Each structure stands twice: as structure tokens, then as C-alpha cells.
């Protein structure tokens, strides 16, 4: 072996070892490095796969949460499909690229709340209106907030005797096609629950109703060794904390935190300020992931907080601080266009999900050095 060959061999070895060290360090500091976005439309699946390969893999993203809802050609309930929905072939492409790059792929279908948006009723209540928790509240032609009905989004009735058969069949099918060990049920911003006019829910404790639905979903997933993820806002007392009615609860569902199974993963989102409620969830015994959206400076603070929580907590508490997940609330298509500079409507805007994504993962990259 020549001197140059030995040098090259040693140099490559150093690079490999430093990469392994860097990976090990970031795994220790931020175990879950997630990205949450709406599942792409079928026409842009290949573009999204390219985005995964070029942008997520390079940033060491290891968890991809796709909000699917009814954007899939369900065989169990074809009546609930969106008009243009992803095929099994489309999903398998996404499964393949994620497996290749050791990315955990998790699907979401919004359950309980978010069964409507603005003036649109979503598929479940449109096809099965008998599941509506508040059928007396009619969808407006033009939506405004606030409104006299207190309508943000519709909910289904968690005590309707037929709702879970359909919901569970959807869950099982989407989890099977995603080949996943986890499912995200949404369950955020539930304003309609335990309505006084509901023949089943009237007079019942809202915290018990919410916890009952979480546990019902969790228990069904457990039959196939799958874990439940949910958003955490309904488990925070919005009044006492001052966090408010969006990122916290004003209808007493927050007491459900002491009634739900501890193996539910909490996705703790705060978008307008970096509130440190991850500590609250961890102290209650839950695994928690902090989720920013569009404020780069807050995403950096939240990332630093997560590292500090892990470094300064006890050996029992440390594993509960699971990491970070960037959330995107536009379509996958518009996010990719924004990210690659194709959307030029606000070219100088600082507070965007694309900039937040860059800032959060840049901060993580510094941690690995």
C-alpha cells in the first residue's frame, strides 16, 4: 500500500467515524426529528418523493407524519374517498422511499374534531350525517369567526353506536397500507363535545368523553401493536395557563390528561410563542414531541429547550422528551412551491413554514457537531 493509499484509507475512516459520532450525538439529543404535512395529491407524488430524498434525508429527518384523511382510495369505505385520491401504488412509493432512508412513516386521519372546515362538511359527516354531534348547527354559506353557534369545526359523536366500526376500518386499512406501527388521530381543537342537545352526550363530563375516545382509539390500535399519537392542545388548561382556547382547552377537556393511557404520544404544538408545556406532559408520564409551524426564531428556541429538557432531567424523565416535529398547514404542493421559490407572492416573508423548517433543522445540524 502506498503512502497516498494509506492516507486516503485513514481519511475515509475519520470521515466515517465522525459521521457516526455526529449521528449518535443528534440521536441522543433529538431522538425524533419529524416533519408533518398533508399527503400530496397523486399528480405530485413523485415531486414529493424527490423532496423526501433531497431535503428530509439530508436533514436527518427520521419521522414523516402524513395527514391523509380521505385522500386515499379506501377499499373498506369507497364512499368516503376524496374525488381524486391516492392509490395503493402511490402510497407504496412513499413507503418504499421512507424504508430506504429509515424514516418512520405515520398516517393521520382527523378523528373526533375537525370534521368540517369553514363552510365545508368533510366526508364522514357528509356521508353519515347521523354521526354529527351538533346536527342542529347548520353549516353557513359564508363562514366567519366568531359566530353565534360557536362553530369552528364539527365533531362526530363519540358515543354514537355505529361510528367506531367505520372509523376503525379506515384506521386499520390506512395503517396496513402504510406498513406502520403508529397512527395519528388528530383530536385537536375540539370545541364541540358533550353538546347539551346530543341525546347520548348531554350532561356527561367533557373530560371523560374526550378521554374515552382517546382510549377507545388507543385500545383498538393496541390489538395490532400500534401506538396512538394525538395533538396535545385539548389536554392543556387554556384558562389557567393563559395559553387560550386554541392551543389549550376552555371546555374542561384538559382534565382528560389524568384519564388516558400513558403510552399515547403527545404532539405539543405552540405557534405564536415557545411555551414550555412539554415539561407538563413529560411529568404526567407521556412521551412528548414539540411542534413549531411558521416562526423560525421560536423553532430554534423550542429546539434548544428540548435539548435542555433532555440534558437536565432525571433518567426516568429524559426518555419522555422525544424531540421535534415541523408542522406544515398548507398543502404539500404549495409548501414545495414555497420551499423551492416557485411561490413568489411573499418573497420577503420571514415567518413561513419553509423558513421555520430550515431554521429548526439548521439548529439541529449544529447540535450534531
Amino acid at each position: 500500500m502506498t503512502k497516498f493509499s494509506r492516507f486516503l484509507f485513514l481519511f475515509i475512516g475519520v470521515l466515517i467515524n465522525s459521521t457516526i459520532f455526529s449521528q449518535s450525538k443528534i440521536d441522543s439529543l433529538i431522538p425524533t426529528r419529524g416533519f408533518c404535512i398533508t399527503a400530496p395529491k397523486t399528480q405530485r407524488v413523485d415531486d414529493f418523493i424527490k423532496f423526501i430524498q433531497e431535503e428530509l434525508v439530508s436533514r436527518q429527518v427520521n419521522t414523516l407524519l402524513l395527514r391523509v384523511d380521505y385522500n386515499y382510495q379506501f377499499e373498506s369505505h369507497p364512499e368516503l374517498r376524496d374525488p381524486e385520491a391516492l392509490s395503493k401504488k402511490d402510497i407504496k412509493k412513499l413507503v418504499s422511499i421512507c424504508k430506504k432512508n429509515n424514516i418512520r412513516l405515520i398516517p393521520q386521519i382527523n378523528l373526533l374534531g375537525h370534521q368540517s372546515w369553514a363552510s365545508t362538511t368533510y366526508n364522514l359527516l357528509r356521508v353519515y350525517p347521523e354521526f354529527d354531534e351538533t346536527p342542529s348547527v347548520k353549516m353557513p354559506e359564508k363562514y366567519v369567526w366568531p359566530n353565534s353557534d360557536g362553530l369552528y369545526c364539527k365533531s362526530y359523536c363519540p358515543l354514537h353506536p355505529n361510528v367506531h366500526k367505520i372509523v376503525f376500518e379506515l384506521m386499520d386499512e390506512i395503517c396496513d397500507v402504510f406498513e406502520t406501527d403508529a397512527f395519528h388521530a388528530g383530536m385537536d381543537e375540539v370545541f364541540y363535545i358533550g353538546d347539551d342537545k346530543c341525546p347520548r352526550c348531554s350532561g356527561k363530563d367533557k373530560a371523560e368523553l374526550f378521554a374515552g375516545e382517546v382510549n377507545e382509539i388507543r385500545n383498538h390500535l393496541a390489538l395490532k401493536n400500534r401506538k396512538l399519537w394525538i395533538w396535545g392542545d385539548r389536554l392543556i388548561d387554556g384558562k389557567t395557563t393563559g395559553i387560550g382556547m386554541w392551543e389549550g382547552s376552555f371546555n374542561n377537556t384538559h382534565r382528560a390528561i389524568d384519564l388516558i393511557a400513558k403510552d399515547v404520544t403527545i404532539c405539543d404544538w405552540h405557534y405564536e410563542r415557545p411555551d414550555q408545556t412539554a415539561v407538563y406532559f413529560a411529568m404526567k408520564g407521556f412521551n412528548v414531541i414539540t411542534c413549531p409551524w411558521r416562526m423560525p426564531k421560536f423553532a430554534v428556541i423550542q429546539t434548544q429547550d428540548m435539548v435542555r429538557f433532555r440534558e437536565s432531567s432525571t433518567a426516568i424523565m429524559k426518555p419522555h422528551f422525544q424531540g421535534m416535529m415541523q408542522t406544515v398547514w398548507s398543502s404539500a404542493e404549495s409548501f414545495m412551491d414555497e420551499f423551492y421559490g416557485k411561490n413568489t407572492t411573499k418573497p420577503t416573508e420571514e415567518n413561513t413554514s419553509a423558513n421555520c423548517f430550515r431554521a429548526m433543522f439548521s439548529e439541529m445540524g449544529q447540535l450534531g457537531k
Side-chain angles (χ1 to χ4, degrees):
M1 182 181 288
T2 65
K3 288 184 179 180
F4 177 76
S5 298
R6 286 196 296 270
F7 170 78
L8 184 60
F9 180 78
L10 291 171
F11 179 71
I12 292 172
V14 169
L15 284 178
I16 292 173
N17 287 332
S18 65
T19 300
I20 292 171
F21 174 77
S22 175
Q23 182 67 53
S24 175
K25 185 176 180 182
I26 196 169
D27 284 342
S28 174
L29 296 174
I30 309 282
T32 297
R33 301 178 295 281
F35 184 70
C36 166
I37 196 168
T38 303
K41 298 298 184 184
T42 188
Q43 301 91 338
R44 298 288 297 273
V45 167
D46 289 342
D47 290 341
F48 190 69
I49 288 173
K50 183 180 179 183
F51 174 79
I52 293 173
Q53 187 67 56
E54 294 182 353
E55 308 301 341
L56 299 190
V57 173
S58 65
R59 290 173 170 83
Q60 301 185 56
V61 171
N62 61 11
T63 303
L64 175 57
L65 173 59
L66 287 184
R67 300 195 306 276
V68 179
D69 292 319
Y70 305 104
N71 179 21
Y72 177 63
Q73 295 174 18
F74 288 101
E75 296 176 7
S76 60
H77 289 281
E79 74 278 12
L80 295 176
R81 299 175 180 175
D82 284 341
E84 294 183 13
L86 295 169
S87 67
K88 183 177 288 187
K89 182 179 179 181
D90 292 328
I91 296 296
K92 290 304 182 185
K93 285 183 179 181
L94 296 168
V95 171
S96 177
I97 190 67
C98 287
K99 279 188 175 182
K100 177 183 176 182
N101 292 286
N102 297 312
I103 296 174
R104 187 184 191 191
L105 184 59
I106 301 174
Q108 176 185 310
I109 298 175
N110 266 319
L111 299 184
L112 191 58
H114 276 280
Q115 301 304 314
S116 71
W117 182 256
S119 300
T120 302
T121 301
Y122 288 151
N123 299 12
L124 184 67
L125 295 190
R126 180 177 53 79
V127 178
Y128 298 102
E130 64 271 25
F131 296 161
D132 193 342
E133 173 73 5
T134 54
S136 61
V137 177
K138 303 303 178 184
M139 297 299 292
E141 291 185 10
K142 184 178 180 181
Y143 177 83
V144 295
W145 178 269
N147 56 71
S148 58
D149 290 317
L151 171 64
Y152 177 56
C153 298
K154 286 270 193 176
S155 301
Y156 66 67
C157 173
L159 299 185
H160 193 286
N162 300 324
V163 71
H164 289 120
K165 179 181 185 299
I166 293 174
V167 164
F168 289 167
E169 287 170 349
L170 295 176
M171 286 167 45
D172 288 344
E173 184 174 354
I174 202 66
C175 286
D176 286 345
V177 74
F178 268 68
E179 302 177 31
T180 187
D181 62 355
F183 171 81
H184 201 300
M187 304 191 76
D188 58 319
E189 299 175 331
V190 178
F191 289 4
Y192 283 158
I193 186 170
D195 187 72
D196 289 341
K197 295 180 181 179
C198 177
R200 295 164 295 273
C201 298
S202 177
K204 295 192 180 297
D205 186 288
K206 290 177 171 55
E208 292 182 0
L209 284 170
F210 187 84
E213 185 65 4
V214 172
N215 288 331
E216 189 90 17
I217 296 166
R218 177 264 174 203
N219 292 343
H220 181 79
L221 290 168
L223 295 175
K224 294 189 177 181
N225 296 315
R226 290 168 176 149
K227 298 297 186 182
L228 174 62
W229 290 29
I230 63 172
W231 303 112
D233 53 287
R234 295 306 92 190
L235 303 176
I236 297 171
D237 185 342
K239 294 179 181 179
T240 301
T241 61
I243 284 175
M245 66 189 299
W246 304 99
E247 299 183 12
S249 169
F250 269 29
N251 59 3
N252 294 318
T253 60
H254 63 276
R255 291 184 290 103
I257 196 168
D258 294 318
L259 304 175
I260 65 177
K262 299 299 184 183
D263 61 358
V264 175
T265 294
I266 306 299
C267 298
D268 181 34
W269 61 275
H270 294 293
Y271 297 157
E272 303 304 322
R273 45 181 289 148
D275 291 297
Q276 298 177 349
T277 47
V279 176
Y280 175 64
F281 288 114
M283 290 183 71
K284 288 289 186 176
F286 294 96
N287 287 353
V288 60
I289 298 167
T290 296
C291 305
W293 168 36
R294 65 185 184 94
M295 298 286 195
K297 64 179 181 180
F298 291 159
V300 170
I301 293 171
Q302 289 168 314
T303 303
Q304 294 168 346
D305 284 344
M306 180 58 64
V307 172
R308 189 174 71 257
F309 297 154
R310 285 182 61 82
E311 290 182 332
S312 62
S313 58
T314 65
I316 292 176
M317 284 278 286
K318 180 178 178 178
H320 291 313
F321 296 107
Q322 271 296 296
M324 302 292 299
M325 181 167 68
Q326 168 69 39
T327 64
V328 176
W329 296 101
S330 58
S331 68
E333 292 74 23
S334 61
F335 176 81
M336 288 189 291
D337 288 345
E338 175 194 331
F339 184 85
Y340 290 117
K342 295 179 181 179
N343 183 353
T344 57
T345 54
K346 294 182 179 180
T348 60
E349 183 76 29
E350 177 186 357
N351 294 325
T352 68
S353 53
N355 287 339
C356 189
F357 169 73
R358 289 188 179 96
M360 187 178 85
F361 283 98
S362 176
E363 179 65 21
M364 288 187 200
Q366 295 301 313
L367 296 173
K369 295 180 178 179

